[in-house]
């Protein structure tokens, strides 16, 4: 079926199609791109010429071992730009500069003593030139900045509608930073940003439908549906940690009681361990040490968390039917005491065969997710959110 539209729309669609094929398939000749895309050779040549001129795509070496004219493959030049990602946490911000495939080329971590929006915008603005200098890519352009944080983010990806952890309401953080640095800025919920990174360059690269589970201070499950992040009517989709677990139960940061995350997030498990043992100074590091030593109280709490989160995850997968579940977040490092009961509960609760559970977590995964907000613009022309600072 041919798509109808004005030439600008057709060009944007073709451009998106070619770039996504190169992202998924790697270097391909123009003839191969025409076959894979269904576009005419002339249309492919036109799009590729534009992308080469813009520096987004580059030509490789001619393919050897063939008679006659050798086809020249083209590929995305991920080094032509730099993306910056900031992951906001209560006490610190993880900072990363990446190439346009979200491969880190410079990282640092800064403290956040003041949670006022203006103070945080100032910290991020000062970090930008430092990261660019650390990246040591003078020939590359700064393509943009992504910020991820826990909260409900507006669908235009400019404002934090509500963050319980930061106690923010309607904070236009993207605009605040863009005005300080004159660079395009996008804002997103941290789990959503992590899911975008997984879709573009991670374990979800070949999947159009997946669930992305993240367990840390909170619990969330982002959804990629038919190749797009599902954000909901108000940007609040995926808040699995705020599903009801125990009526009138433990207080949650959202102000309600009995939420799943109030019992089984990593932070909640640490808190319950403290309550059970009276160890006020115990934190995530001590929890992992005790788990490695097979402390029965810790093992019981961690296994219970895996089981209960797995049950909630099964309910979600029964509704959305993902091809795979990608799991990340700090709790993944709790190992099999957490993952084994999670897998079993997912299998027991699945309507049919459970989707495969794929694990991917690195120290800079959150910040790389934020940087992916910038890279995503190359591959989806329909996303027009974010803001650009005044020049």
């Amino acid at each position: 079926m041919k798509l109808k539209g004005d030439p600008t729309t057709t060009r944007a669609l073709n451009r998106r199609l070619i770039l996504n094929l190169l992202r998924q398939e790697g270097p391909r000749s123009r003839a191969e791109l025409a076959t894979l895309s269904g576009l005419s050779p002339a249309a492919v040549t036109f799009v590729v010429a534009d992308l080469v001129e813009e520096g987004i795509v580059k030509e490789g070496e001619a393919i050897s071992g063939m008679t006659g004219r050798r086809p020249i493959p083209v590929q995305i030049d991920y080094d032509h730009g730099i993306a910056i990602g900031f992951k906001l946490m209560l006490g610190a911000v993880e900072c990363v500069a990446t190439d346009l495939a979200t491969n880190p080329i410079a990282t640092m971590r800064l403290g956040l003593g003041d949670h006022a929006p203006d103070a945080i915008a100032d910290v991020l603005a000062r970090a930008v030139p430092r990261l660019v200098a650390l990246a040591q890519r003078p020939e590359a352009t700064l393509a943009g900045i992504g910020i991820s944080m826990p909260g409900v983010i507006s669908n235009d990806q400019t404002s934090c509608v509500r963050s319980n952890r930061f106690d923010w309401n309607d904070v236009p953080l993207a605009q605040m930073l863009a005005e300080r640095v004159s660079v395009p800025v996008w804002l997103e919920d941290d789990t959503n940003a992590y899911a975008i990174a997984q879709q573009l360059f991670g374990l979800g690269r070949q999947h159009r439908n997946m669930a992305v589970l993240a367990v840390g201070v909170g619990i969330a499950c982002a959804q990629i549906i038919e190749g797009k992040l599902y954000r909901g009517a108000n940007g609040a989709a995926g808040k699995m940690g705020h599903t009801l677990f125990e009526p009138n139960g433990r207080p949650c940061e959202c102000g309600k009681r009995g939420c799943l995350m109030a019992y089984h997030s990593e932070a909640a498990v640490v808190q319950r361990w403290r309550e059970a043992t009276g160890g006020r100074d115990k934190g995530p590091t001590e929890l992992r040490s005790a788990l490695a030593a097979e402390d029965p109280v810790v093992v019981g709490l961690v296994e219970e968390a895996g089981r209960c989160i797995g049950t909630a995850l099964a309910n979600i997968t029964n509704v959305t039917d993902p091809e795979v579940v990608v799991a990340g977040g700090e709790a993944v490092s709790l190992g099999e005491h957490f993952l084994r009961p999670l897998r079993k509960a997912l299998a027991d609760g699945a309507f049919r065969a459970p989707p495969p559970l794929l694990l991917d977590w690195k120290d800079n995964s959150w910040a790389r997710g934020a940087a992916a907000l910038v890279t995503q613009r190359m591959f989806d022309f329909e996303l027009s959110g974010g803001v650009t600072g005044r020049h």
Side-chain angles (χ1 to χ4, degrees):
M1 181 181 71
K2 293 185 178 180
L3 293 170
K4 294 181 179 180
D6 60 54
T8 301
T9 301
T10 301
R11 178 183 175 188
L13 284 166
N14 292 348
R15 179 188 180 98
R16 175 188 177 190
L17 179 57
I18 294 300
L19 282 172
N20 275 290
L21 280 172
L22 290 173
R23 175 179 63 84
Q24 293 175 320
E25 303 292 335
R28 289 290 185 271
S29 69
R30 291 166 176 81
E32 288 174 317
L33 289 172
T35 300
L36 290 168
S37 67
L39 300 175
S40 69
V44 170
T45 297
F46 181 77
V47 170
V48 170
D50 271 357
L51 293 172
V52 169
E53 184 177 353
E54 294 171 31
I56 297 173
V57 163
K58 62 182 179 181
E59 293 186 330
E61 297 294 327
I63 300 172
S64 61
M66 301 183 67
T67 59
R69 186 176 180 181
R70 297 175 178 177
I72 298 174
V74 295
Q75 63 191 61
I76 297 173
D77 184 3
Y78 289 113
D79 291 330
H80 88 276
I82 294 174
I84 287 179
F86 293 119
K87 159 57 176 159
L88 296 185
M89 299 169 289
L90 274 183
V93 53
E94 291 182 3
C95 315
V96 63
T98 74
D99 64 16
L100 295 183
T102 72
N103 296 308
I105 50 181
T107 61
M108 62 185 185
R109 185 183 179 98
L110 301 173
L112 288 179
D114 188 341
H115 296 146
D118 275 313
I120 288 180
D122 286 341
V123 169
L124 301 185
R126 289 193 295 268
V128 171
R130 292 178 60 188
L131 284 164
V132 171
L134 287 170
Q136 298 183 341
R137 299 279 180 90
E139 73 287 351
T141 59
L142 179 54
I145 298 169
I147 308 170
S148 69
M149 64 178 296
V152 176
I153 307 302
S154 61
N155 276 328
D156 64 3
Q157 294 181 269
T158 65
S159 298
C160 174
V161 177
R162 174 62 188 167
S163 175
N164 298 314
R165 219 159 293 163
F166 283 81
D167 195 22
W168 286 1
N169 289 296
D170 298 318
V171 174
L173 185 62
Q175 182 68 50
M176 293 167 67
L177 180 57
E179 290 178 346
R180 286 165 167 80
V181 297
S182 296
V183 173
V185 181
W186 293 272
L187 180 66
E188 186 56 278
D189 169 77
D190 47 14
T191 303
N192 284 348
Y194 176 61
I196 289 169
Q198 290 295 327
Q199 179 195 21
L200 288 176
F201 303 110
L203 295 175
R205 193 169 186 163
Q206 302 298 329
H207 301 290
R208 290 184 56 78
N209 294 277
M210 67 173 176
V212 181
L213 173 71
V215 184
V217 176
I219 303 171
C221 189
Q223 299 288 325
I224 301 293
I225 298 176
E226 293 304 311
K228 291 185 175 295
L229 174 71
Y230 179 71
R231 308 189 75 257
N234 303 293
K239 305 301 182 185
M240 183 172 118
H242 295 293
T243 55
L244 182 62
F245 177 74
E246 183 68 41
N248 300 313
R250 298 172 67 89
C252 180
E253 68 175 22
C254 71
K256 297 184 178 181
R257 305 185 72 91
C259 292
L260 180 69
M261 70 170 281
Y263 288 83
H264 299 305
S265 67
E266 184 191 52
V269 170
V270 170
Q271 179 60 32
R272 293 173 67 197
W273 182 38
R274 289 172 180 164
E275 293 170 1
T277 60
R280 294 182 180 179
D281 297 330
K282 294 175 178 177
T285 301
E286 290 76 18
L287 180 82
R288 283 162 175 73
S289 296
L291 188 65
E294 298 288 335
D295 180 288
V297 174
V298 174
V299 169
L301 288 169
V302 169
E303 289 181 346
E304 181 188 6
R307 182 172 62 254
C308 294
I309 292 172
T311 298
L313 182 62
N315 290 333
I316 288 177
T317 61
N318 286 342
V319 173
T320 60
D321 190 25
E323 298 168 64
V324 296
V325 175
V326 177
E330 293 83 354
V332 168
S333 65
L334 295 174
E336 287 302 310
H337 283 302
F338 175 74
L339 295 169
R340 190 182 303 112
L342 189 152
R343 290 191 187 97
K344 185 176 187 306
L346 176 60
D348 290 346
F351 172 64
R352 299 184 68 188
L357 182 69
L358 311 178
L359 306 178
D360 183 69
W361 189 248
K362 302 177 180 66
D363 289 342
N364 56 19
S365 290
W366 285 127
R368 288 181 67 194
L373 300 176
V374 179
T375 300
Q376 187 186 31
R377 268 65 205 174
M378 282 203 305
F379 302 107
D380 194 344
F381 80 98
E382 295 175 319
L383 295 175
S384 57
V387 289
T388 302
R390 300 168 184 161
H391 294 270

